[in-house]
Amino acid sequence: MVVSENRAFLRLFSLYLFIQFSVTAANFFEPFNVTYDHRALIIDGKRRMLISAGIHYPRATPQMWPDLIAKSKEGGADVVESYTFWNGHEPVRGQYNFEGMYDLVKFVKLVGDSGLYFLLRIGPYVCAEWNFGGFPVWLRDVPGIEFRTDNEPFKREMQRFVTKIVDLLREEQLFSWQGGPIILLQIENEYGNMESSYGQKGKDYVKWAANMALGLGAGVPWVMCKQTDAPGDIIDTCNSYYCDGYKPNSPNKPTIWTENWDGWYTSWGETLPHRPVEDLAFAVARFFQRGGSLMNYYMYFGGTNFGRTSGGPFYITSYDYDAPIDEYGLLSEPKWGHLKDLHAAIKLCEHALVAADSPQYMKLGPKQEAHVYWDNTQTNGLNTTLSESQSTCSAFLANIDEHKAATVTFRGKSYSLPPWSVSILPDCRNTAFNTAKVGAQTSMKLVEDANAPSPKISAPELIMTKNEVSSISDTWMSVNEPIGIWSVNNFTFQGVLEHLNVTKDTSDYLWHINRIYVSDEDIAFWEENQVSPTLVIDSIRDVLRVFINGQLIGSISGHWVKVVQPLQFQQGYSDLILLSQTVGLQNYGAFLEKDGAGIRGQIKLTGFKNGDIDLSEASWTYQVGLMGEFQKIFTIEENEKAGWTELKLDATPSTFTWYKAYFDTPDGTEPVALDLGSMGKGQAWVNSQHIGRYWNLVAPKDGCPETCDYRGAYNSNKCRTNCGKPTQTWYHVPRSWLQESNNLLVIFEETGGNPFDISVKLRVPRILCAQVSESHYQPLQQWLHPDVIDGKVSINDMRPEVHLQCKDGHIISSIEFASYGTPHGSCQNFSEGNCHSPNSVSVVSKACEGRNSCFIEVSNSGFGGDPCRGVLKTLAVQARCVSSSTIGVSQL
Ligand code: GAL
């Protein structure tokens, strides 16, 4: 009786489970398994070659996500990758945040919706130029904790968070076997770089982390990056600029590249990095050429370090990264387009790449080589002879010579290979793509002034600022931030406390106040000996500001640097105030929990008559943060609480001041930025949203080459730009944070600046250029033309083409330059050469104007005959894009 009741219950229960599953299944895909062999990930039983696009969801707004994902897909990505950000998801221990920019589930679902897969790198240590490498700052306070080693408290916390994430994703049915997009997970991050610092405990920790991850029942494979001792089933993967020589630690594991650094991050006061796309494409092609199977761009979209999320010390608010999609979500061309072509070429080879267990290697010259992938499966399966057009092999021909082009012979045919390049031959005969031949369009984004707001004050006062036409507002209010103590929450302590122990990173700022007595004899002593008293501190980070009686007298910044600051005192008591500031917490290195911030070592005053005064053990009064910060005067709700007064146009720039103004949103859909180039250092908020830190530090004058040579191994110092200019002056304000009018902008300024010169800018992809010669290859999509597939037409009968496309709702309004012949120069600097087809402009205008995109064949026939026989001809075009609504209006 009991038994049969049990059975009935079980039957009912399984029916219930079945219904539950079928009702709640995410259904992005038919559920599928992910495994792997030595060659590739095996997705639903098939090996795959995969291109992955790194996008960190909290570096964009949820409103931007769909477009970023769509642009990744259009660019040829199969996978989207992100880390998780523990300190964003668990800001207070046990209190989770999965809302807004931290809505991980929504992000993964959007990726699933678009038909792409997901690679989630949980970490939970992530590095990523993210504050504290992703660790919540409260983690430092867990008793007995040591990060990233065989330490019980750390392991307990780490396991709790990783479990939380995996459980959440499983409940939401987001793993592949549930029909979700997640195919791969990562535990830890580049621990191999740190392992030796932790001795045996480091080794034990790796094993523990691997077992812990595998024990969570996520049901998809796990990777560890830069972890040559990744245990058991965990795949060790490569992070670098190049990963084509990489071999995982077991012959049963596939070669995976988790971070292809397609650019680099930058710091305040540095130039901007740039990785040329010819080299990036070379690196990717070499990876797949030599047996790689999954490559992730770090980053495909870098985005913005909003709020105080940027790591450090000293990483800027922009995380543009020189990625294929820029900080604002616009395509960075020709990077995006050239990689799109590359991905299409790799896809044309995928059947052969996955069919072969390993490539056939052929040496073609001293620095030239081919790798050939044979696909015998088709002949075996059908047992018939394949027609010419049906590819049975794909090949990659590389010229790794950094200087010289080479002509090689491959299977009886001659190929010319530019230096440092790879040609991809999907059919082992015809070149579909060469990494050094960029046919994709260039897009020049202009930063344009938004519509000037209507003047709110009388005309004469406008004369004060030279940029008044574009300035954000003519009316500014200001209020001073108190220097030193501002609340009853101050406290006094004997000795110098470590910065983070006090602030818990709730603010960048920590005030230290001391009262110094100066006697008549001291003053006389300084005068007689022509010396001044000096503040000497062994070591500080990141910024220290020194005030005497409320006056800022010195600022020092650096990463654990010595302070030697001359002081001037009056006779009697003076307040010596030290403001210690963080500019992004350390995100890389061993023993992060011990790193700390602020003041370290001895702190003393030298030069006094009776000798040095040691302040290290003196009684200091501490105050965390700014009054305005804690009163939240940057929010719509609380800003009225401050005693704002109107700022006079002739006011002298003042330090430690809050400013506010209201501004209207510029029309249109183009991304919006604030130009804070007139300010010093501080933070800015728009409609209560923290858009980030700003700092007007200028980059060194030297170190930017006139031309960037793509050839040879890249490093982040190559091809730098922006020498002698402030590292960052434009700060992204996502459109979704703006309302039509009366947006509240609040700025906290530390060093003095002119808010009247702050302006709103629009980032507009305005100019398109392309330059394609007769020696370029046919457009990639022609390979999929039915006539080419059927063998009716040979790909060789097709001509190269220029393809222009205005993105983001823009259309081509005019052709500013076109020359078929031998044009000179580059985008925005083209000129006609000796050979020029007179109808160039009319042909291109006819094909393109008024359209969102157009194709123009690069051939004599398209331009009414050969303008110069026997000469290699090029078509160079420059076009202007305008928003389609503008055209609509102007044509009416
Ligand atoms: C890697 C790290 C990433 C990121 C990158 C540099 O070593 O894994 O998280 O920090 O360097 O952008």
Side-chain angles (χ1 to χ4, degrees):
M1 177 67 183
V2 175
V3 172
S4 66
E5 251 179 27
N6 258 347
R7 275 206 195 120
F9 169 75
L10 279 177
R11 238 176 270 133
L12 267 177
F13 186 62
S14 42
L15 185 68
Y16 164 76
L17 278 184
F18 173 71
I19 293 169
Q20 272 298 95
F21 180 77
S22 31
V23 171
T24 56
N27 277 334
F28 296 107
F29 304 91
E30 280 297 312
F32 61 99
N33 283 327
V34 183
T35 55
Y36 62 80
D37 67 6
H38 76 281
R39 181 69 188 101
L41 285 188
I42 301 176
I43 304 230
D44 202 14
K46 291 189 213 74
R47 284 182 186 159
R48 289 295 312 275
M49 295 292 115
L50 295 169
I51 307 286
S52 169
I55 300 176
H56 295 154
Y57 48 97
R59 285 179 156 139
T61 55
Q63 289 78 5
M64 292 168 71
W65 294 343
D67 186 53
L68 298 175
I69 295 165
K71 284 173 172 159
S72 306
K73 185 172 182 178
E74 197 189 335
D78 310 287
V79 181
V80 167
E81 174 272 346
S82 181
Y83 282 128
T84 62
F85 298 87
W86 189 359
N87 50 15
H89 288 304
E90 199 180 353
V92 177
R93 191 172 181 278
Q95 289 178 25
Y96 293 99
N97 172 21
F98 289 99
E99 303 291 313
M101 295 159 98
Y102 290 96
D103 195 341
L104 168 64
V105 166
K106 180 170 181 177
F107 185 66
V108 178
K109 285 185 176 172
L110 284 169
V111 170
D113 271 337
S114 73
L116 298 184
Y117 299 134
F118 205 98
L119 156 54
L120 187 66
R121 305 206 289 152
I122 300 180
Y125 165 75
V126 295
C127 195
E129 292 71 69
W130 188 261
N131 198 43
F132 214 31
F135 283 140
V137 175
W138 55 255
L139 201 63
R140 303 166 81 246
D141 295 333
V142 172
I145 201 156
E146 281 173 49
F147 294 177
R148 304 177 77 200
T149 186
D150 186 14
N151 166 274
E152 286 308 320
F154 178 76
K155 292 192 296 185
R156 205 180 316 122
E157 294 299 326
M158 170 164 163
Q159 179 160 6
R160 195 172 51 78
F161 179 72
V162 178
T163 307
K164 173 91 191 170
I165 296 290
V166 170
D167 286 353
L168 174 71
L169 299 170
R170 196 193 295 104
E171 278 156 30
E172 296 283 345
Q173 317 261 14
L174 293 174
F175 289 108
S176 68
W177 50 273
Q178 300 171 299
I182 302 174
I183 56 167
L184 199 58
L185 294 168
Q186 178 180 301
I187 192 76
E188 250 295 341
N189 190 74
E190 296 192 336
Y191 188 69
N193 292 357
M194 299 298 139
E195 195 169 335
S196 62
S197 311
Y198 294 95
Q200 184 57 41
K201 283 182 136 197
K203 293 189 181 137
D204 294 343
Y205 167 65
V206 172
K207 292 197 194 99
W208 170 82
N211 283 333
M212 185 271 287
L214 293 172
L216 296 175
V220 295
W222 288 80
V223 303
M224 278 182 159
C225 60
K226 283 209 180 172
Q227 194 68 58
T228 46
D229 59 351
D233 289 342
I234 305 243
I235 307 165
D236 54 316
T237 65
C238 181
N239 292 349
S240 190
Y241 291 114
Y242 305 91
C243 281
D244 55 278
Y246 190 79
K247 289 269 168 297
N249 65 14
S250 143
N252 305 321
K253 296 178 185 177
T255 303
I256 292 181
W257 190 358
T258 29
E259 290 182 25
N260 176 1
W261 301 322
D262 49 19
W264 202 241
Y265 57 90
T266 195
S267 305
W268 301 111
E270 276 189 358
T271 52
L272 301 178
H274 168 64
R275 184 171 185 192
V277 71
E278 295 91 334
D279 168 64
L280 178 58
F282 172 76
V284 175
R286 288 289 286 157
F287 177 72
F288 286 100
Q289 167 165 19
R290 296 183 65 192
S293 63
L294 187 164
M295 181 274 319
N296 174 56
Y297 291 105
Y298 188 101
M299 306 293 303
Y300 197 71
F301 161 82
T304 310
N305 296 310
F306 294 113
R308 297 169 54 249
T309 60
S310 86
F314 300 123
Y315 300 147
I316 66 169
T317 293
S318 166
Y319 199 62
D320 181 89
Y321 219 85
D322 195 33
I325 303 179
D326 76 8
E327 175 180 6
Y328 297 86
L330 302 175
L331 301 186
S332 191
E333 295 281 36
K335 208 170 228 186
W336 182 87
H338 191 52
L339 296 176
K340 177 182 174 170
D341 290 346
L342 164 69
H343 303 152
I346 293 170
K347 282 285 138 65
L348 290 171
C349 306
E350 189 177 6
H351 68 99
L353 289 171
V354 298
D357 276 332
S358 60
Q360 177 194 356
Y361 172 80
M362 294 161 77
K363 198 165 169 61
L364 303 177
K367 289 185 174 176
Q368 293 76 30
E369 61 183 20
H371 289 73
V372 186
Y373 289 85
W374 289 96
D375 178 2
N376 298 320
T377 52
Q378 297 179 41
T379 23
N380 287 346
L382 302 173
N383 208 19
T384 55
T385 320
L386 292 172
S387 77
E388 264 280 78
S389 64
Q390 281 175 304
S391 311
T392 55
C393 84
S394 295
F396 291 69
L397 314 188
N399 176 15
I400 56 175
D401 193 314
E402 296 179 18
H403 307 288
K404 290 194 293 287
T407 302
V408 296
T409 306
F410 172 68
R411 302 178 81 212
K413 216 178 145 203
S414 163
Y415 296 85
S416 85
L417 304 174
W420 199 251
S421 81
V422 176
S423 278
I424 300 179
L425 285 54
D427 55 1
C428 277
R429 240 191 112 63
N430 295 295
T431 306
F433 180 86
N434 176 278
T435 55
K437 289 195 164 200
V438 179
Q441 66 183 14
T442 300
S443 156
M444 310 299 280
K445 274 156 282 185
L446 306 188
V447 177
E448 298 178 351
D449 288 326
N451 305 342
S454 50
K456 291 184 186 116
I457 54 169
S458 57
E461 282 170 305
L462 280 172
I463 303 165
M464 288 301 296
T465 58
K466 57 182 186 324
N467 288 330
E468 73 273 10
V469 181
S470 59
S471 80
I472 198 167
S473 172
D474 311 319
T475 313
W476 280 88
M477 311 285 277
S478 76
V479 60
N480 287 336
E481 173 67 28
I483 303 299
I485 294 163
W486 53 265
S487 83
V488 293
N489 285 337
N490 70 80
F491 65 94
T492 301
F493 183 84
Q494 203 84 26
V496 177
L497 293 167
E498 189 278 310
H499 182 116
L500 292 178
N501 278 344
V502 185
T503 64
K504 309 292 180 199
D505 200 36
T506 52
S507 163
D508 281 357
Y509 308 97
L510 177 61
W511 301 95
H512 307 60
I513 300 117
N514 212 315
R515 185 147 275 204
I516 308 292
Y517 182 74
V518 171
S519 65
D520 283 339
E521 290 84 51
D522 286 320
I523 305 258
F525 177 75
W526 296 330
E527 276 167 11
E528 269 163 40
N529 295 293
Q530 300 265 302
V531 291
S532 45
T534 304
L535 169 72
V536 180
I537 305 176
D538 280 352
S539 187
I540 63 112
R541 67 171 288 187
D542 301 326
V543 174
L544 186 83
R545 299 204 191 275
V546 183
F547 300 80
I548 292 181
N549 295 330
Q551 288 302 307
L552 178 62
I553 54 153
S555 298
I556 301 97
S557 72
H559 186 219
W560 298 126
V561 290
K562 185 168 176 144
V563 174
V564 180
Q565 172 68 48
L567 306 172
Q568 280 195 335
F569 287 112
Q570 307 288 323
Q571 191 276 321
Y573 283 100
S574 291
D575 281 337
L576 171 67
I577 300 183
L578 305 181
L579 175 62
S580 160
Q581 305 178 8
T582 51
V583 188
L585 301 192
Q586 190 77 20
N587 60 264
Y588 182 77
F591 313 115
L592 275 187
E593 73 283 8
K594 299 191 180 62
D595 205 56
I599 297 169
R600 237 188 219 173
Q602 202 189 30
I603 163 165
K604 63 183 177 189
L605 296 175
T606 63
F608 279 72
K609 180 153 191 285
N610 296 332
D612 295 352
I613 303 174
D614 189 347
L615 295 175
S616 315
E617 295 305 322
S619 165
W620 289 89
T621 300
Y622 292 85
Q623 169 76 61
V624 175
L626 308 173
M627 182 163 94
E629 240 181 333
F630 281 80
Q631 288 184 344
K632 294 196 184 319
I633 66 168
F634 49 83
T635 61
I636 294 172
E637 297 77 21
E638 310 290 336
N639 86 89
E640 298 292 348
K641 287 199 179 142
W644 300 103
T645 55
E646 193 173 328
L647 182 68
K648 296 277 177 310
L649 281 157
D650 56 1
T652 47
S654 76
T655 59
F656 287 79
T657 307
W658 292 85
Y659 296 106
K660 80 161 175 172
Y662 291 89
F663 68 100
D664 295 342
T665 301
D667 294 339
T669 53
E670 282 110 358
V672 175
L674 279 183
D675 185 342
L676 298 178
S678 65
M679 303 303 285
K681 177 183 181 294
Q683 300 179 38
W685 293 260
V686 172
N687 294 335
S688 319
Q689 303 280 359
H690 196 163
I691 66 166
R693 295 189 187 93
Y694 67 86
W695 199 350
N696 218 15
L697 279 191
V698 175
K701 282 204 196 67
D702 300 323
C704 299
E706 271 202 4
T707 53
C708 158
D709 186 349
Y710 77 88
R711 297 172 302 176
Y714 178 75
N715 65 67
S716 64
N717 290 324
K718 208 180 160 188
C719 299
R720 307 285 299 198
T721 60
N722 212 46
C723 279
K725 297 190 188 138
T727 310
Q728 185 172 3
T729 47
W730 298 313
Y731 295 83
H732 185 202
V733 184
R735 279 224 177 235
S736 60
W737 290 354
L738 294 166
Q739 58 206 24
E740 214 172 284
S741 57
N742 280 320
N743 297 291
L744 170 66
L745 167 62
V746 177
I747 306 250
F748 173 65
E749 169 59 51
E750 296 170 16
T751 59
N754 178 7
F756 287 106
D757 271 358
I758 293 176
S759 56
V760 190
K761 304 279 185 190
L762 290 176
R763 194 157 161 99
V764 192
R766 198 49 98 202
I767 309 286
L768 291 183
C769 294
Q771 210 173 354
V772 172
S773 81
E774 291 173 303
S775 75
H776 272 72
Y777 301 105
Q778 296 76 8
L780 267 305
Q781 72 273 13
Q782 300 291 29
W783 283 77
L784 300 173
H785 194 287
D787 289 348
V788 174
I789 291 176
D790 293 351
K792 286 190 201 139
V793 176
S794 156
I795 190 77
N796 272 323
D797 299 334
M798 308 224 157
R799 300 274 76 87
E801 285 175 7
V802 158
H803 179 207
L804 296 177
Q805 182 170 30
C806 301
K807 283 273 171 188
D808 303 289
H810 286 61
I811 60 171
I812 299 168
S813 64
S814 60
I815 298 301
E816 300 183 330
F817 180 89
S819 177
Y820 177 67
T822 53
H824 302 299
S826 56
C827 196
Q828 292 192 298
N829 199 14
F830 284 128
S831 60
E832 286 170 21
N834 288 340
C835 167
H836 168 74
S837 185
N839 57 5
S840 303
V841 173
S842 68
V843 168
V844 177
S845 300
K846 197 162 163 237
C848 301
E849 274 178 13
R851 301 211 162 85
N852 159 262
S853 74
C854 57
F855 296 86
I856 310 119
E857 204 177 272
V858 181
S859 70
N860 294 334
S861 58
F863 290 89
D866 192 343
C868 44
R869 269 169 209 283
V871 175
L872 179 78
K873 282 159 290 287
T874 296
L875 173 60
V877 180
Q878 179 170 319
R880 178 164 280 262
C881 299
V882 296
S883 115
S884 42
S885 54
T886 324
I887 280 276
V889 171
S890 66
Q891 279 174 347
L892 281 178

